[in-house]
Amino acid sequence: MTTVALKDIAAEVGGSRSVPALATALAWFGSGFGGILMSQIASRVGTRATVITGSVMIALGLVISTFGAPWPLWVGHGLFIGLVGIGGINAPLYVYVSRWFDRRRGSALALISSGSYLAGAFWPPIFERAVASFGWRQSMLWYALAEMLVIVPVAAIYFRRPPESPHPLTSATGAQRSRVLGWPPNLVFAMMCCAAVLCCMPMAMPQGHLVAFCSDLGISRSVGALMLSVLLGTAFMSRQVWGAISDRIGGLKTVLIGSTWQVASMTAFLLTQNEVGLFTVTAIFGLGFSGIIPAYVLAARELFPPSEASWRIPLLLLFTAGGMGAGSWVAGLLYDRFGYYAPAFTAGIGLNLLNLLVVGVLVGRQLRWRPTAA
């Protein structure tokens, strides 16, 4: 909603796009920090309770955001939508689903994480029409009602406690548990978290600013919203393919391939100015980046003991969410500074190249290192 209405909200604060972009960033940051807390709560009271609570908090955050920019928008998005709302849904769901599957875990994680992209393909044209007809405030209120009417009953009916551990823990030797890829486990995990930030910052830039970017090029907001739907729709369709790939080649190699695809399509954004070209580039971008975040989660499950999933997965998702939030905000700041998006996309490409360096080191280590038998 905030992405589609970015220019409308910015118009109320002197045209500063960094204000609504910061609201989106705070929702991402909040969801990351909230995911750590809410995953621990979910392990005690159950995922059903945290998802229902999260749904109610998202609706409340949307209501608060309608009071205007900047502070109500920032508080509504950061505290209610992000910290307790999405934080109570996303990370607990990743942990929840990963405990139900063993052989097809990558595909399962890809499927559960596809919901955001399906929503992203479905909602932008509806939001664009609603904002144009009723304004962004009224549109947020209607969406808050719809969101709560759907999620609360579904969570109440379907969520039940998962098995404690669906796969044996005895296969790992003591030496394997103390070393990951031959290095200290937390060093490998820190490198994964660093890589997550570096790839998610550029990932967020087209998603958060595509509608405004199109408007700057003289393309109507309705076409920009449709383009955003194409981006997220192709991401939804390709995510299951990436899940199947990750089941075959593993999480880290999937991240490396997806990040390489992402940096190539980010470069194409800088070289494309016409409507047909942008539709093509957004579709290619959506096809490439969609498998990256579930692949990080899969890599964490492959490299670390299942008993550590309840804190490693939410912490890793904190860094992915932080990267998404920072990317959207930084793009808004750079636009406000330079008046166009090329500097932001150039910075995103540079960050993505650093990500490839870090992930490449991990993949290279994975290819060379073999655990010794006990």
Side-chain angles (χ1 to χ4, degrees):
M1 172 69 75
T2 307
T3 299
V4 174
L6 187 143
K7 292 184 74 171
D8 300 77
I9 300 171
E12 298 185 9
V13 285
S16 177
R17 297 188 187 180
S18 59
V19 170
L22 179 57
T24 303
L26 289 172
W28 281 110
F29 288 133
S31 70
F33 285 106
I36 297 174
L37 172 64
M38 299 302 282
S39 291
Q40 296 302 313
I41 294 174
S43 67
R44 291 170 171 78
V45 304
T47 305
R48 176 191 289 124
T50 63
V51 170
I52 291 174
T53 301
S55 173
V56 174
M57 290 300 103
I58 289 173
L60 181 57
L62 288 167
V63 172
I64 292 172
S65 296
T66 63
F67 295 165
W71 284 105
L73 188 71
W74 291 343
V75 171
H77 276 64
L79 179 59
F80 291 93
I81 296 176
L83 187 71
V84 187
I86 302 174
I89 297 175
N90 279 7
L93 276 181
Y94 273 106
V95 176
Y96 178 82
V97 169
S98 72
R99 286 177 172 166
W100 281 99
F101 293 87
D102 189 7
R103 287 181 57 249
R104 302 290 183 182
R105 188 182 297 127
S107 297
L109 289 169
L111 180 61
I112 195 66
S113 61
S114 295
S116 60
Y117 293 134
L118 179 61
F122 175 77
W123 283 109
I126 298 174
F127 287 157
E128 189 279 328
R129 286 291 85 209
V131 170
S133 300
F134 307 108
W136 66 271
R137 288 178 171 83
Q138 191 65 36
S139 301
M140 276 191 178
L141 292 175
W142 280 112
Y143 179 66
L145 178 62
E147 177 267 338
M148 198 163 56
L149 288 177
V150 171
I151 296 179
V152 171
V154 169
I157 293 169
Y158 289 105
F159 283 110
R160 51 195 174 93
R161 185 170 290 276
E164 290 299 320
S165 178
H167 39 272
L169 303 180
T170 57
S171 61
T173 67
Q176 286 174 257
R177 292 186 189 181
S178 63
R179 310 291 285 182
V180 173
L181 306 182
W183 286 338
N186 288 338
L187 172 62
V188 174
F189 188 67
M191 292 178 69
M192 290 175 61
C193 291
C194 176
V197 173
L198 292 171
C199 80
C200 287
M201 286 185 69
M203 185 188 297
M205 291 178 179
Q207 294 183 67
H209 294 266
L210 182 59
V211 177
F213 176 62
C214 289
S215 179
D216 291 346
L217 296 176
I219 300 171
S220 69
R221 185 171 63 183
S222 60
V223 173
L226 179 60
M227 207 174 290
L228 181 61
S229 289
V230 169
L231 188 156
L232 296 173
T234 54
F236 167 73
M237 291 187 292
S238 65
R239 179 159 276 192
Q240 282 307 111
V241 176
W242 285 113
I245 291 172
S246 65
D247 281 331
R248 285 182 168 271
I249 68 175
L252 285 178
K253 293 176 186 175
T254 305
V255 170
L256 183 64
I257 296 170
S259 294
T260 303
W261 192 319
Q262 178 174 278
V263 76
S265 49
M266 282 290 292
T267 304
F269 271 112
L270 287 176
L271 305 176
T272 309
Q273 299 290 306
N274 63 80
E275 185 175 317
V276 174
L278 280 173
F279 267 112
T280 303
V281 171
T282 54
I284 293 172
F285 182 80
L287 289 172
F289 82 87
S290 61
I292 295 176
I293 293 178
Y296 276 116
V297 177
L298 179 63
R301 288 305 313 269
E302 291 171 337
L303 296 174
F304 303 101
S307 59
E308 299 177 2
S310 62
W311 69 267
R312 285 203 189 270
I313 290 178
L315 186 57
L316 182 59
L317 291 175
L318 166 63
F319 283 90
T320 63
M324 295 292 289
S328 179
W329 183 35
V330 167
L333 288 175
L334 290 174
Y335 178 88
D336 289 344
R337 173 67 178 81
F338 294 100
Y340 61 109
Y341 280 112
F345 284 12
T346 301
I349 291 168
L351 292 168
N352 211 146
L353 291 173
L354 290 175
N355 160 263
L356 287 176
L357 177 62
V358 176
V359 176
V361 169
L362 290 173
V363 170
R365 185 71 180 178
Q366 188 178 47
L367 292 172
R368 292 192 303 271
W369 182 78
R370 292 291 181 272
T372 57

